[in-house]
């Protein structure tokens, strides 16, 4: 039995009331909530709120779910909504959903609500909960991790997009016997948000980095070192910057902007791809804009990435270069990597051809 009221730290979950209509309309009509919930009426009016309070929310229980108002524990004023939907009794499964009004964000409300909702669902007999997020919504992904959910994969075309099409959603799952507390992350956040040696600074790639990153990755020499030797579109770079934090949170890759430490200007990019979690191995890649070359910045960046990677538990890093790319090989050697051999026909080339790659590796026990 799902209770009518659930305490959740700074807030409590309770039924919606007619007096909530104005706050409900204002919260749901917030651009951020509309962006990631394109199925809601846009704009979301007080009339929409009154319908939800009178009919929509009560109907959730008829399908085995629940729709709660999230209210401030002290004032009882509405600050969000949460609930269980898409209940599949034969699987003991349901989907968790929530939204938080702008004035209540960054106070741990969403995490407290998700934890309380999960505990309530498990006490009611459910055994598996899903939380679906957009890849461009890292805030919600951080809530999932903080509430003990684990990344399980991608639900292709599971969500509705704003243009009437479909979009992929990331699936985060928690089981009734999963441990309490936050889910450990493979790739934690950078200490203080950056790595620096005073000359080079590495920070996470962000949406504002599109212009320099697009210029970098459309340079002929950089295109020639790509896995597919085709320049990326601007839309592809925009998407890469938009989901960089998500890729970091799920543990797939750490995508860095390589910056001049004194000016903060983007000088290039580098990436750590966690390509073999089972063996503790990662792959490094890096490239510089023309005006930043010849100053040792790439070597410094590789050393910073390696130190961080080994510090979070990786045991082996590798990188590949074209046999003729002597400059890149020197970067790796100055950073302590050793040449291990030639990988024949490692990468697709132009047309139907294949190209070789020189393999370099650095072990945690090698690094100083």
């Amino acid at each position: 039995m799902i209770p009518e009221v659930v305490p959740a730290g700074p807030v409590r979950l309770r039924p919606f009331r007619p007096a909530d209509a104005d706050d409900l309309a204002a919260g749901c009509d917030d651009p951020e909530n509309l962006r990631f919930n394109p199925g809601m009426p846009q704009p979301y009016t007080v009339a929409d709120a009154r319908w939800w309070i009178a009919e929509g929310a009560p109907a959730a229980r008829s399908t085995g779910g629940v729709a709660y108002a999230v209210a401030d524990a002290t004032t009882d004023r509405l600050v969000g909504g949460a609930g269980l939907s898409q209940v599949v009794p034969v699987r003991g499964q349901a989907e968790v959903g929530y939204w938080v009004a702008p004035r209540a964000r960054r106070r741990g409300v969403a995490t407290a609500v998700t934890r309380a909702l999960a505990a309530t669902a498990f006490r009611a007999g459910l055994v598996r909960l899903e939380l679906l997020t957009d890849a461009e919504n890292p805030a919600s992904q951080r809530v999932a991790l903080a509430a003990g959910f684990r990344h399980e994969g991608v639900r292709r075309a599971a969500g509705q997009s704003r243009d009437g099409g479909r979009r992929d959603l990331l699936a985060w799952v928690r089981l009734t016997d999963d441990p309490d507390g936050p889910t450990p992350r493979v790739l934690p956040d950078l200490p203080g948000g950056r790595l620096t040696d005073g000359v080079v600074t590495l920070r996470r790639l962000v949406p504002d980095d599109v212009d320099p990153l697009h210029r970098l990755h459309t340079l002929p020499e950089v295109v020639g070192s790509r896995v597919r030797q085709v320049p990326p579109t601007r839309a592809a770079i925009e998407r890469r910057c938009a989901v960089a934090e998500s890729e970091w949170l799920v543990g797939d890759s750490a995508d860095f902007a390589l910056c001049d430490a004194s000016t903060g200007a983007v000088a290039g990019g580098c990436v750590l791809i966690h390509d073999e979690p089972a063996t503790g191995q990662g792959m490094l890649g890096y490239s510089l804009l023309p005006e930043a070359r010849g100053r040792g910045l790439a070597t410094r960046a590789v050393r910073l990435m390696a130190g961080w990677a080994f510090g979070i538990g990786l045991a082996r890093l590798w990188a590949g270069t074209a046999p003729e790319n002597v400059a890149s090989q020197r970067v790796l050697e100055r950073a302590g990597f050793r040449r291990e051999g030639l990988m024949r026909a490692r990468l697709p080339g132009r047309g139907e051809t294949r190209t070789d790659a020189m393999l370099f590796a650095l072990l945690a026990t090698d690094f100083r």
Side-chain angles (χ1 to χ4, degrees):
M1 181 66 179
I2 298 177
E4 289 284 317
V5 178
V6 177
V11 296
R12 66 188 185 117
L13 312 182
R14 59 159 174 79
F16 284 94
R17 300 170 182 165
D20 296 327
D22 288 342
D23 284 335
L24 176 58
C28 287
D29 202 48
D30 169 66
E32 195 74 0
N33 284 330
L34 290 175
R35 177 186 177 195
F36 295 116
N37 295 281
M40 291 199 305
Q42 299 190 30
Y44 196 100
T45 67
V46 173
D48 295 316
R50 288 174 179 156
W51 175 88
W52 175 254
I53 293 167
E55 300 183 42
R61 286 186 178 268
S62 67
T63 60
V66 64
Y68 286 114
V70 177
D72 186 283
T74 302
T75 66
D76 200 41
R77 184 178 176 184
L78 185 99
V79 296
L84 299 171
S85 64
Q86 310 301 324
V87 180
V88 185
V90 70
R91 296 181 181 175
Q93 175 180 303
E95 182 181 328
V96 175
Y98 65 86
W99 62 268
V100 178
R103 67 176 182 280
R105 291 174 188 159
R106 290 174 288 280
R107 290 167 39 193
V109 169
T111 299
V113 165
T114 304
R115 286 174 176 163
L117 199 53
T120 299
F122 293 143
R123 284 194 296 269
L126 294 173
V127 298
R128 173 185 164 87
L129 296 176
E130 292 189 348
L131 198 165
L132 303 182
T133 71
D134 193 293
E136 295 185 21
N137 188 359
S140 196
Q141 295 167 48
R142 288 182 181 273
V143 168
L145 287 163
F149 286 68
R150 302 181 189 181
H151 179 247
E152 193 170 78
V154 177
R155 290 289 188 90
R156 297 171 57 210
Q160 179 181 342
S161 60
R162 294 181 297 279
D163 60 5
R166 307 296 298 178
R167 74 189 197 282
D168 296 345
L169 296 175
L170 305 186
W172 302 84
V173 173
R174 182 171 175 181
L175 306 181
T176 186
D177 55 355
D178 281 343
D180 289 332
T183 300
R185 284 174 51 191
V186 175
L187 299 174
D189 291 326
L190 301 177
R194 63 176 190 164
L195 304 173
T196 188
D197 62 1
V199 177
V200 164
T201 293
L202 303 183
R203 58 163 175 78
R204 178 173 43 80
L205 205 64
V206 297
D208 287 344
D209 294 323
V210 170
D211 286 342
L213 200 71
H214 183 250
R215 182 162 74 93
L216 173 68
H217 286 281
T218 52
L219 292 169
E221 64 272 25
V222 176
V223 172
S225 67
R226 290 171 59 87
V227 173
R228 295 283 179 185
Q229 296 180 17
V230 177
T233 64
R234 184 176 178 85
I237 295 297
E238 288 173 349
R239 177 66 175 173
R240 176 174 173 176
C241 292
V243 303
E245 186 171 358
S246 174
E247 295 290 311
W248 204 303
L249 291 170
V250 302
D252 288 345
S253 64
D255 213 345
F256 298 91
L258 190 164
C259 305
D260 184 303
S262 61
T263 66
V266 175
C270 49
V271 64
L272 166 66
I273 298 175
H274 199 214
D275 67 331
E276 226 177 76
T279 65
Q281 175 177 280
M283 182 191 77
L284 296 186
Y286 50 89
S287 50
L288 291 175
L289 289 165
E291 62 269 24
R293 296 171 188 166
R295 296 158 49 193
L297 302 186
T299 299
R300 289 176 176 274
V302 169
R303 287 174 179 159
L304 285 170
M305 280 196 295
W308 179 71
F310 294 138
I312 63 173
L314 272 70
R316 170 185 164 88
L317 298 175
W318 73 276
T321 79
E324 65 274 12
N325 191 349
V326 176
S328 189
Q329 294 168 29
R330 287 175 178 165
V331 166
L332 293 168
E333 289 169 344
R334 286 196 295 264
F337 281 69
R338 299 182 189 180
R339 187 181 309 226
E340 290 193 341
L342 179 71
M343 296 184 285
R344 297 188 306 148
R346 160 72 175 149
L347 300 173
R350 297 185 183 279
E352 300 298 319
T353 65
R354 304 283 301 181
T355 62
D356 298 341
M358 294 296 303
L359 172 64
F360 290 78
L362 179 67
L363 307 184
T365 51
D366 297 335
F367 188 72
R368 296 292 182 270

